């Protein structure tokens, strides 16, 4: 069980803060006597209520030390071997990579798309829209988590990484 003020990763929503653990009014009105996490996504303004026994994916965010360690290991994290021109199959592989909710998988996906897009540009082509969409989603999730763990703004994360490991 998580505690009030904990930061968690909640599914594809990303980093959320647990604001309260309670039985909300809507549940009481329906006769449901169950505890819920009242969470707020850090990078969006909304409130989400989740039963504490939910099967939806949740985990604590990485600690500052884990974030620093992850950043130092980034150069060794390999790109994925996503090949082919079938956009649906590629999108499915990207989606599966994001659904693991693991920072290493997000880094691998970002590196994969980055190198694929550089290859496309060198051939005089535009990077694929699917590639860019999933890279942005992976960056948002990864940088959001790192920003909270490192206590910096999400806009500072890329520069922070570059300063730690080089470009």
């Amino acid at each position: 069980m998580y505690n009030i003020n904990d930061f968690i990763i909640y599914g594809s929503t990303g980093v959320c803060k647990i604001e309260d653990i309670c039985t909300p009014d809507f549940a009481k009105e329906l006769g449901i006597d169950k505890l819920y996490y009242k969470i707020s996504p850090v990078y969006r303004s909304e409130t989400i209520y989740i039963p504490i026994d939910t099967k939806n994916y949740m985990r604590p965010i990485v600690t500052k030390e884990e974030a620093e360690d992850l950043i130092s290991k980034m150069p060794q994290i390999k790109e994925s071997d996503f090949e082919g021109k079938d956009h649906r199959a590629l999108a499915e592989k990207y989606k599966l990579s994001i659904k693991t909710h693991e920072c290493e998988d997000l880094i691998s996906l970002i590196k994969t798309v980055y190198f694929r897009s550089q290859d496309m540009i060198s051939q005089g082509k535009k990077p694929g829209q699917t590639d860019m969409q999933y890279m942005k989603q992976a960056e948002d999730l990864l940088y959001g988590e790192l920003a909270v763990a490192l206590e910096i703004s999400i806009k500072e994360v890329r520069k922070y990484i570059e300063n730690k490991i080089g470009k």
Side-chain angles (χ1 to χ4, degrees):
M1 189 163 155
Y2 299 105
N3 298 305
I4 295 172
N5 294 323
D6 284 353
F7 287 99
I8 61 167
I9 296 296
Y10 175 62
S12 62
T13 304
V15 181
C16 296
K17 183 177 183 181
I18 297 180
E19 301 290 343
D20 198 4
I21 301 170
C22 60
T23 302
D25 291 339
F26 72 83
K28 290 176 188 172
E29 290 171 8
L30 295 171
I32 299 170
D33 186 26
K34 184 181 224 179
L35 287 176
Y36 285 71
Y37 292 117
K38 176 184 176 185
I39 65 171
S40 298
V42 172
Y43 302 105
R44 296 194 310 232
S45 57
E46 64 183 297
T47 300
I48 302 169
Y49 288 92
I50 309 156
I52 61 169
D53 61 351
T54 185
K55 301 289 187 232
N56 292 348
Y57 185 85
M58 287 193 298
R59 70 166 169 80
I61 66 165
V62 295
T63 65
K64 185 172 187 170
E65 294 75 27
E66 290 168 334
E68 292 283 359
D69 187 50
L70 181 68
I71 290 169
S72 71
K73 291 179 182 174
M74 281 183 176
Q76 289 77 45
I77 296 175
K78 301 286 184 216
E79 306 86 60
S80 298
D81 57 357
F82 298 157
E83 294 291 329
K85 297 185 190 272
D86 181 353
H87 296 292
R88 275 186 248 164
L90 192 59
E92 193 57 36
K93 288 180 180 180
Y94 289 161
K95 200 179 297 183
L96 289 173
S97 211
I98 286 174
K99 277 187 172 182
T100 67
H101 306 286
E102 295 298 327
C103 294
E104 292 86 356
D105 292 337
L106 297 174
I107 293 166
S108 180
L109 182 127
I110 292 165
K111 288 175 84 169
T112 300
V113 173
Y114 174 79
F115 289 120
R116 280 178 55 93
S117 63
Q118 292 302 305
D119 187 46
M120 298 288 281
I121 291 168
S122 72
Q123 296 174 34
K125 299 176 183 176
K126 287 185 176 181
Q129 190 174 2
T130 300
D131 288 338
M132 302 318 294
Q133 172 189 348
Y134 280 98
M135 184 165 84
K136 179 171 179 4
Q137 186 178 359
E139 284 178 337
D140 289 348
L141 291 169
L142 177 68
Y143 293 178
E145 183 169 2
L146 292 177
V148 173
L150 296 168
E151 299 174 351
I152 61 177
S153 79
I154 196 167
K155 292 178 182 177
E156 297 173 283
V157 172
R158 183 183 300 267
K159 188 160 193 68
Y160 185 90
I161 292 169
E162 288 172 356
N163 288 337
K164 289 289 185 178
I165 63 172
K167 295 191 180 205

